[in-house]
Amino acid sequence: MKKKIIMNHLSYKTEYVDIEQGCGHKEYLAFYFYVDGEKIGSENYNPADYSDILESDKNLVFIQHCGCGVRECSALVANVNYSADYIVTWSVDEYRYNSGAEIYHFPKSEYETIMAKVFNSARLEE
């Protein structure tokens, strides 16, 4: 018997934030990702900025970066897998190590539309 995949809904919002980062405050346009209307992420990280988004690619999306401001230090990422012609799977986990990933499945056409908007917003902010 084939296991039924429950499809999720991906969305995002942006807002300017002024948060503690590194040795001081930084103001920037923050990208927040939502799955089924719930914001995803961790209190241990700061929201992604435009450079995090532009460093993302087809296989890896930076969702949040380290509080020091350096994504290479640590980050929360979505490992992207195009598992079927019509499904995109996100495995959301730590950038440097496995801490028990959250798995989400999105309709491919909806996912590609949302991510095109995310990348466009990041390019405009750049």
Side-chain angles (χ1 to χ4, degrees):
M1 179 180 224
K2 204 172 194 181
K3 184 178 177 184
K4 183 176 179 175
I5 296 175
I6 297 173
M7 299 302 270
N8 301 106
H9 173 73
L10 179 66
S11 60
Y12 82 103
K13 293 181 184 176
T14 60
E15 78 176 66
Y16 282 96
V17 296
D18 183 7
I19 58 176
E20 186 71 30
Q21 186 157 284
C23 295
H25 282 270
K26 181 177 179 188
E27 184 176 326
Y28 64 91
L29 182 67
F31 288 76
Y32 295 97
F33 290 93
Y34 294 79
V35 174
D36 300 332
E38 297 288 322
K39 187 183 335 181
I40 60 172
S42 168
E43 296 296 321
N44 298 328
Y45 296 109
N46 289 343
D49 62 19
Y50 77 87
S51 68
D52 294 323
I53 300 303
L54 295 178
E55 280 295 315
S56 299
D57 59 30
K58 183 177 179 172
N59 300 311
L60 181 77
V61 176
F62 286 96
I63 296 172
Q64 295 177 302
H65 60 248
C66 184
C68 74
V70 179
R71 88 181 132 261
E72 291 81 6
C73 174
S74 187
L76 187 67
V77 299
N79 294 291
V80 184
N81 181 13
Y82 288 77
S83 55
D85 289 339
Y86 59 93
I87 298 173
V88 175
T89 301
W90 265 17
S91 175
V92 177
D93 209 346
E94 306 288 331
Y95 183 47
R96 299 271 179 223
Y97 60 92
N98 185 344
S99 66
E102 292 287 331
I103 307 296
Y104 305 104
H105 306 283
F106 308 110
K108 183 178 178 184
S109 61
E110 177 185 299
Y111 175 79
E112 289 176 341
T113 299
I114 293 297
M115 291 309 294
K117 291 177 182 178
V118 168
F119 280 101
N120 187 53
S121 295
R123 282 193 228 39
L124 289 172
E125 184 63 15
E126 182 183 35

